[in-house]
Amino acid sequence: MAKVTGLGGIFFKSRDPAALSAWYAQHLGLNVEEWGGVRFDEDAQRPGYTLWSPFAADTDYFGPGTQTCMINFRVDDLDALLAQLRTAGVEVDERVEQSEFGRFGWVVDPEGTRIELWQPPA
């Protein structure tokens, strides 16, 4: 039987794709390519995995508002990145969670989208 083998991409609408791509490049270090997106190649040196997980329609995990999806980015140093983002004036949730799955923090992009940052366990 044919089946899905992994996540192929995350696609979403934006009021200003060029400006939003520039923000992600500046603040989260994404390498935005000429075509306007980012390609993440697998790297055995970096721990982590990709999840697909539906949430209940009334979840508050994505923050307040009508956001219907949330992007989760793997990061190499959550504390340092959150500090950089605060210094740059980015809206950063003060809460940081730690579990057996790693450490999690949240920020909001210029269009109001809540983003989850995840540092996998060592």
Side-chain angles (χ1 to χ4, degrees), residues 7-78:
L7 184 62
I10 301 168
F11 309 102
F12 53 95
K13 294 179 180 180
S14 168
R15 291 186 301 271
D16 187 343
L20 192 59
S21 291
W23 184 90
Y24 277 78
Q26 176 184 355
H27 295 292
L28 297 183
L30 298 187
N31 183 24
V32 178
E33 298 185 26
E34 286 184 28
W35 53 271
V38 176
R39 177 180 164 155
F40 296 98
D41 293 317
E42 295 299 319
D43 184 345
Q45 301 302 310
R46 295 184 184 134
Y49 44 82
T50 302
L51 296 177
W52 177 89
S53 180
F55 281 73
D58 62 351
T59 185
D60 60 357
Y61 194 70
F62 299 171
T66 60
Q67 183 171 327
T68 60
C69 65
M70 183 170 60
I71 300 169
N72 168 296
F73 288 111
R74 278 179 281 212
V75 301
D76 58 358
D77 186 337
L78 181 63

